[in-house]
Amino acid sequence: MKANEQVHFIGIGGYGMSAIAKVVMEMGYKVTGSDVAESALSKKLSAQGATIVIGHDVSNMKGASIVVYSTAISQDDVELVAAKEAGITVLHRSEMLAKLLNATSGIAVAGAHGKTTTSSMIALVMELTKQDPTYIIGGEIVNLGTNAKAGQGAYLVAEADESDGTFLHYFPTIAVITNIEADHLENYDGDFENIKKAYVQFLKQVKPDGKAVVCLDDQNVRELLPRVYDDNALQDQQLITYSIHEQADYMASNIIEGDRTVSFELSTHGTSLGQFVLSVPGVHNVYNAIATIITCLEAGVELEALRKAIKLFVGAKRRFQVIADVHDMLVVDDYAHHPTEIVATINASKATGKRITVVFQPQRFTRTFFLLDEFSKAFPEADSVIITDIYSPAGEEAIEGVSSQRLVELIKENGQHNVQYIATNEEVLEQLKTSIQPGDMVITMGAGDIWKVSHALGEHIKA
């Protein structure tokens, strides 16, 4: 890229696109963008100097030498079609991120769960320990109030999204794999083996002087590791493993869960690195923290500075985000949209000692279809459960027999009888307003717009 180049982003207002746009702009390039509606993120970009237009039109990208689009943009979008016809360089969001990540010491965090929290934790620790990283995160880091920054340090921290296979554009210096699960099967011909093959290739793309940091407690990770060595693409000394249960290079023990906190001792090859305290709850965050600690140590962060910095991390937006804590009533919002995430979040919630009401909004008919049985078994530890209508993106077709009503039936069959179907966010909110009592915790879960319920309920109980 030349210093005077203009980069145009189609669909600039989302987390992934706005983060890249912010970094590109802070690097000194001119940024323009378009979207169908204004968002808080696009407002921030406009305030920083980006030229953003609501609505898609060919004139929006005048002067652009690079046009960036996301998976959410239709191939017949007028701006995208015009850019291709004009011979302008057209890049998918992941390809634009790859241009940035591959040209530096890239830290790419992959996995079915924990990507946003782990990459946010790494970015915050490196920021607080004066590493001045560049970071591009798929969620806002609560401590920093942003999801992206162009730093002057050696490292760039980013999520590596496996959902559509685009993480194979990245050649990182440090690759992290938190776990592997059968999600996004609609993009892998319905075959879990294709996802595993993609992860194997991702690990093989670690730079020759780089490191792969992987969780051995995940069975799918353990099973694919031998395949990474098939053609000597990754050497033994490049692999760093971590766990709580399996024998690994780094192991956590003495885990103590508290009310929205968790602490643990970390050791490596029999040598204790001491206790670490987190200001976020749950054993799942212990795993995220271990990956963060290893990555930051490999990046040259001093241990004691790391220990102090990681304690200050209070989460990423929509990751066990406390919306209201008033009169012994706690309202939390979480992005959990996969059965494993739901179970982990409910288990983390139990340490609060409150009665837990889970409001879950399934997302996508395809995901609900593939994981219907797993979803039906994810709620036994909740005190009560509300299931809303499936949140489906525009253009997705319904699947016969896949519905929230059917999910409620299966949840009951699996032993959770205090579950009900309430179709809309508005109806859910009205019920919660009248039912929430001191000693209750309400947690909204899902990748759609269910967060609106927790925010409105939070404002209600504050008032």
Side-chain angles (χ1 to χ4, degrees), residues 318 321-326 329-333 359 424-434 436 442-444 449-463:
R318 297 220 63 215
Q321 182 184 1
V322 175
I323 307 301
D325 187 358
V326 182
M329 293 179 285
L330 182 63
V331 181
V332 173
D333 179 51
V359 182
T424 68
N425 288 356
E426 292 76 17
E427 292 171 295
V428 171
L429 177 59
E430 289 309 309
Q431 172 153 323
L432 291 173
K433 281 181 178 179
T434 60
I436 190 168
V442 173
I443 180 164
T444 53
D449 63 356
I450 195 64
W451 59 268
K452 295 177 181 178
V453 171
S454 54
H455 283 258
L457 181 63
E459 290 302 317
H460 172 75
I461 65 170
K462 287 175 185 176

Side-chain angles (χ1 to χ4, degrees), residues 94-95 98 102 110 160-172 188 194-205:
S94 61
E95 294 173 310
N102 296 343
D161 185 6
E162 88 291 352
S163 66
D164 55 3
T166 54
F167 70 150
L168 296 183
H169 292 306
Y170 310 141
F171 292 80
Y188 288 89
N194 290 335
I195 296 178
K196 293 178 182 178
K197 288 178 181 177
Y199 274 102
V200 169
Q201 183 58 40
F202 174 67
L203 285 176
K204 288 182 176 182
Q205 291 176 188

Side-chain angles (χ1 to χ4, degrees), residues 99-129:
K99 284 173 74 74
L100 302 170
L101 187 143
N102 296 343
T104 184
S105 296
I107 297 172
V109 182
H113 321 296
K115 286 189 296 291
T116 300
T117 299
T118 303
S119 54
S120 297
M121 204 180 277
I122 292 168
L124 180 71
V125 169
M126 296 188 80
E127 183 79 356
L128 294 180
T129 55

